[in-house]
Amino acid sequence: MRSSRSSNATALIVLRLNHNTMGLQLLKRLQGSRWLIIMAVCGACAGGSSGGALELWYDRPAVEWNEALPIGNGRLGAMVFGGTAHERIQFNEETLWTGEPREYNRPGAATVVGQLRQLLAEGRQAEAERLAGERFMGLRSPAGDRNAWRSKVLAAGTPDNDDFWQVMELPTHGGWEVAGIPGLEGLDGAVWFRTAFDVPDSLLEQPLVLDLGKIRDEDFTYLNGRLIGNTDGAGKDRRYLVPAGSLKASNNQLTVLVLNYYDKGGFVGYKDTTVPLALYPAGKSHEAGLPLPERWHYFVQNDDAPAEPRYQADYQPFADLLLQLPGHDSVASYRRMLDIANAVATTSYMVNGVTFTREYFASYPANVLVAHIRADQRGAVSVRASLRSPHKNSRMRRVDGRTLGLTLQVKRGALRGESLLRVVPRGGDVSVTDTSITVAGADEVTLYLAAATNFKRYDDTSGRPDEAVNHTLAALEGQPYHRVKQDHIADYRSFFDTFSIGFGGDTLNHLPTDQRIARFADGKDPQLLALYAQYGRYLLISSSRPGTQPANLQGLWNGLMTPPWGSKYTTNINLEMNYWPAEVMGLSALHEPLFDMVDELRERGRETARIHYGTPGWVVHHNTDLWRGTAPINHPNHGIWLGAPAWLCHHLWEHYLFTLDEDFLRDRAYPVMKEAALFYQHNLQEDTETGYLISSPSNSPEHGGLVAGPAMDHQLIRALFGYVVAASARLGIDEDWAADIRALAARIAPDRIGRFGQLQEWLDDVDDPENKHRHMSHLWAVHPGAGINGANDPALMEAARISLNHRGDEGTGWSLAWKINLWARLLDASRTEKLLKMLISPAARGGGSYPNLLDAHPPFQIDGNFGGAAGIVEALLQSHTEGIDVLPALLPMLPFGQVSGIRARGGFVIDLKWEKHRLTELRVLSIKGGPLRIRYSAYLAELATEPGSSYRFDSKLQRL
Ligand code: FUC
């Protein structure tokens, strides 16, 4: 890849240096006419209670969820809104999901897989998809009796008296679930709506259209007591003809019964939220008519809609911790912030000259969410704390004189939750009722919140959450707040402080973070990029700890009963992207939850391989959930995809490459990889046209429908075969089998270059250069794979570049993040920077960042945070080819910088520093010993290393 000018370093000189001495200093650099402070954005220098460069902060409370600040300990997550008189802390426990252990595989599916392959080989895609839809997809959960329920609801007739109805403003664009009305959060059922309106004379004598936008799912619409429309279907317009003369000048009654079975309910209006519900002359639009009143009365007739059949389960919110602080409506000097060096969120402000400070954190050692309120005047803290769950089956109770309890049961699911809220005041009076804890006149107040469910494993829900939360609080007994906080910080920093990063330049941290996001594209705030990188690490430490569930589509933060894509685990990019930072950013241990999940997918997926394919091995398709569903779901055009086992195994292999942990390879990774390889060994098909081995039936994720032979699958399977062959050699086992696998690998359809010079996404040369699809599946071998790289195949690398250019720059959050990593691998620093600026820009229609710096798909999806953080590092160091490349794609906006603790494959820890875009210092710590090959610009150093030794180099890679 690069010419090597200097390679004088094969002699072994053992230098024992503390590899951490360099990363943590303040430097002053004269640039132009002013002093520029280069500050390492690192845990150690930030320290203390104020995170300095390592904080997100705002000058007002959050209104929207996407403004609130996330805290988490891998098991419990919370979003802190930072309200003053009314505070909301929305929280999650990672095992609270809908559903139950059940059979997901479809008996007899394997009898059609041969036909599917045959149809695809003959190019009969539509027939293959139809057959798969009928006989190959996994089983859904049982459906309730919709007809019986509907008849029951309708039999009750139209209610006359609306005296006791409540009031709601329509339309509720996100569904009535998000109208902020207690009781409607998770409602699927039958709701009556009524409003009254007057009509000007000009509209009275002509035919009109009553336009109610979209209604989910079915409506019965009555005007002045007469049924004028009934439509079933969430996607359908509700435009009903109102014949001339059917309206009065005043007090027309519009009454609508809405039946909603699943997800969003009610009047969801139009995508363009400025378009009102309206009445207008036929043939015209709403501008020519009368907007309907926004204020409607409503009444929930039935909140028990029949069960909707579901392929997989949804991650659920648990409850809100609500605080009321009387008299705190009007405050001064307001500030809320999240200090990611210590994982503590703080809200502070003044009321009548008294400063109030609240701290929030999620302690892993104590397994609780903690809220601490203090004032700078004695006896000034008075607060009422309560819990509110969106689950209909939930109940609060007084447990004892300092504890409030909440019990909940997920609708029609196997899981129930228990939560205890305990108050520990200093001074003041405490009283507890069945709905709240009240503290009056305390010096300070600490609240500890424990939560648990009965989930034990995907096939075991026999846990005792009541015992668990009691035990958790008992263990805290007698511990002073400062100790709990100290232990939390020490625990958190044992992960966080393994890596530091700083890009110099002015830090614009005097601006609220949302304003920094808005200005980031001007390139003058490189420190925000460092903050973004560290925020990715913060989010991983907060959502994925050994022994917990892996980070899901939203990490572990979800406020919705029907979250986007179930907030589950999508394996065709999203789940894996969540773990891109783990190894390279010094959080290798946090990869563990993914490996645990893979072990379970192997167990469940073995059955799916047998029942759906009639073969040994294990398989999971494009999605999984808490119950470890492995059968294909949704539509066959995207739900039948065979690449997931190989991609997940890639993470096991990567963990090995970064750590060189032979025990892990032998005991953990190899058996799983081998069994995945076995699946492919038995399922690769010989392509009748070319004779190559291909993957079928499958798809190029979510693009182009069900096909035989998507390039991505072949890249993945080839990579996996390479891993098991290499592992078997290293471990000295399975020699004969590995030889068979090697031979098979050589027969897999190779990557091809198509008519536009592009890398082909499919076997046939059918790529459309205009197609902007968000997935870059066929570039997998460029990143995160390594099969295509500049060193081994510049022609394919060039084809990948052409394909990536065809896809364009726009995309969802994770799509931008993938492009960032791909452009870094293609060594295009400017393009990498451009995409990073798009990712760190205010979320609008495409991908970007919300005010709380969480990634917008939109909506919120956490993968872009993780992929973006990893991409920043990918521009600074790469180690996927033979050797390590230093500053391979240094961004133009980063003339200065230093990083310490980047991990490289081969078991190396790297610290580096650069000035004016040139490397100035480099230190490599070798964990395991072994050969080191490192490149920078035109320079190359090669040497043998000793375990535990550090090696320093100058800007020309000469040993120091
Ligand atoms: C994949 C993507 C979507 C979304 C979903 C959760 O299906 O194609 O964009 O990220 O996962």
Side-chain angles (χ1 to χ4, degrees), residues 616-683:
W618 68 274
V619 66
V620 52
H621 294 83
H622 91 297
N623 248 289
T624 190
D625 60 1
L626 183 74
W627 310 109
R628 305 299 185 245
T630 46
I633 68 164
N634 303 352
H635 195 284
N637 67 6
H638 67 277
I640 304 174
W641 174 62
L642 298 184
W647 198 341
L648 292 168
C649 285
H650 172 73
H651 282 254
L652 296 166
W653 181 248
E654 288 274 286
H655 182 73
Y656 169 70
L657 290 184
F658 275 93
T659 61
L660 298 186
D661 179 345
E662 292 256 334
D663 293 340
F664 173 83
L665 180 65
R666 185 187 326 101
D667 303 335
R668 192 112 201 239
Y670 183 71
V672 180
M673 297 196 303
K674 181 180 173 187
E675 203 174 335
L678 215 57
F679 175 79
Y680 295 115
Q681 186 180 11
H682 286 85
N683 279 283

Side-chain angles (χ1 to χ4, degrees), residues 553 565 570 572 574 622 702 774-775 812 814 857 861 863:
L553 284 173
W565 295 284
T570 306
N572 65 19
N574 320 87
H622 91 297
E702 307 189 25
R774 61 196 177 283
H775 285 260
T812 62
W814 64 256
H857 181 286
Q861 204 171 285
D863 37 25

Side-chain angles (χ1 to χ4, degrees), residues 292-314:
L292 293 175
E294 285 177 1
R295 201 180 134 91
W296 293 59
H297 287 88
Y298 76 94
F299 154 69
V300 179
Q301 181 188 330
N302 183 302
D303 62 358
D304 200 19
E308 275 286 285
R310 306 270 295 140
Y311 282 110
Q312 290 185 354
D314 294 331

Side-chain angles (χ1 to χ4, degrees), residues 479-494:
Q479 284 199 48
Y481 169 73
H482 70 86
R483 170 102 42 79
V484 177
K485 182 178 166 191
Q486 241 170 36
D487 289 353
H488 155 67
I489 291 175
D491 163 72
Y492 171 78
R493 293 185 73 143
S494 69

